[in-house]
Amino acid sequence: MSKLRTILLLGALLGLSGCAKGFNRLPYDAWYLGLFAPNYMEVWIETADAVDVHDRVFRRAMSGVAAINTPKSLKPNSGGWPGYPGSGAGKHVRGADLPRLIYVRWQSLVEPQTYEAYIPIPEATRQAMVKGEKAYCSFDGKWITDYRYMLTVGLAPGGVTKTWIGGPCLPPVEVARVVGTVVKIGPYSGTSNGQHRPLSETSKAYIEKYGVPYGSW
């Protein structure tokens, strides 16, 4: 093997090694995708897929039950988004670089209706996700450098979605609002004869008493 070929081969191997060790180049192990629904507005997530900046698709990064608050003592005026949304129910999207797009298909059980939404994540949001900020953590009384690596999506009736980024000790920041579209073939990709998952008795009682507060999201 010639000296030139040896140098080129070593360079290629070093390049591959560098990609393997730091391909994503994030200041944390993984970012988090969480989902929630407004009070009593139950949803079932059929799939939440993520696409990172390298166009790698992470299918079913999250699915199933979204975080929700359904007090037994029915409270009126429960429409709108919370002032301080939490992280939501979800998972860390391991192996992914920063997100470029989030796709969610879900059943809005109070209507019932099935929606899908494509939520683009702009560059400014990605930059904010890797910007370290000094933050005071009240639960342990310490100052730390925190990151907004938690991406939280709220799912509301009418196909309305709202997205925030936040950190364990940093307040959430709203970054997107997208209104999804109805999935015409129905729930479960048309395999359930139009049958959605059942609504809980508590949410059903709330809807019967107060209705769905459309327009509050």
Side-chain angles (χ1 to χ4, degrees):
M1 182 181 291
S2 69
K3 186 176 180 180
L4 178 59
R5 289 184 63 191
T6 302
I7 292 173
L8 292 174
L9 179 60
L10 286 173
L13 290 173
L14 287 172
L16 288 173
S17 175
C19 288
K21 289 181 179 179
F23 186 76
N24 296 330
R25 304 185 186 281
L26 301 179
Y28 35 77
D29 291 338
W31 54 275
Y32 178 90
L33 176 60
L35 299 101
F36 77 97
N39 292 0
Y40 302 104
M41 304 294 122
E42 294 179 2
V43 305
W44 176 260
I45 304 160
E46 293 189 352
T47 188
D49 305 336
V51 181
D52 75 2
V53 292
H54 304 290
D55 287 333
R56 295 178 296 177
V57 181
F58 296 79
R59 299 192 186 281
R60 293 180 68 83
M62 175 55 185
S63 61
V65 179
I68 190 170
N69 185 27
T70 55
K72 294 294 184 182
S73 56
L74 305 182
K75 297 180 180 180
N77 303 320
S78 288
W81 301 108
Y84 200 112
S87 59
K91 298 178 182 178
H92 286 86
V93 187
R94 301 196 181 278
D97 206 319
L98 292 171
R100 182 179 68 78
L101 180 73
I102 303 296
Y103 169 78
V104 187
R105 187 176 70 248
W106 76 100
Q107 299 177 27
S108 175
L109 305 183
V110 299
E111 300 180 78
Q113 189 61 272
T114 303
Y115 297 100
E116 64 180 355
Y118 294 85
I119 305 169
I121 308 299
E123 176 63 21
T125 298
R126 292 194 291 271
Q127 291 301 317
M129 291 178 70
V130 293
K131 179 183 177 182
E133 297 185 38
K134 293 294 182 183
Y136 179 75
C137 293
S138 57
F139 60 84
D140 60 5
K142 295 181 180 180
W143 284 90
I144 66 167
T145 299
D146 200 8
Y147 295 90
R148 287 189 168 88
Y149 65 85
M150 300 186 302
L151 193 151
T152 304
V153 180
L155 305 171
V160 179
T161 78
K162 188 169 282 192
T163 304
W164 296 260
I165 55 171
C169 303
L170 289 171
V173 175
E174 180 184 333
V175 296
R177 183 183 185 276
V178 173
V179 179
T181 58
V182 172
V183 178
K184 294 182 179 180
I185 60 175
Y188 300 112
S189 300
T191 61
S192 66
N193 295 319
Q195 296 298 310
H196 292 81
R197 289 179 65 88
L199 188 64
S200 73
E201 290 301 320
T202 301
S203 290
K204 183 179 179 181
Y206 178 89
I207 299 304
E208 289 176 348
K209 187 171 184 179
Y210 299 112
V212 178
Y214 290 108
S216 66
W217 300 292

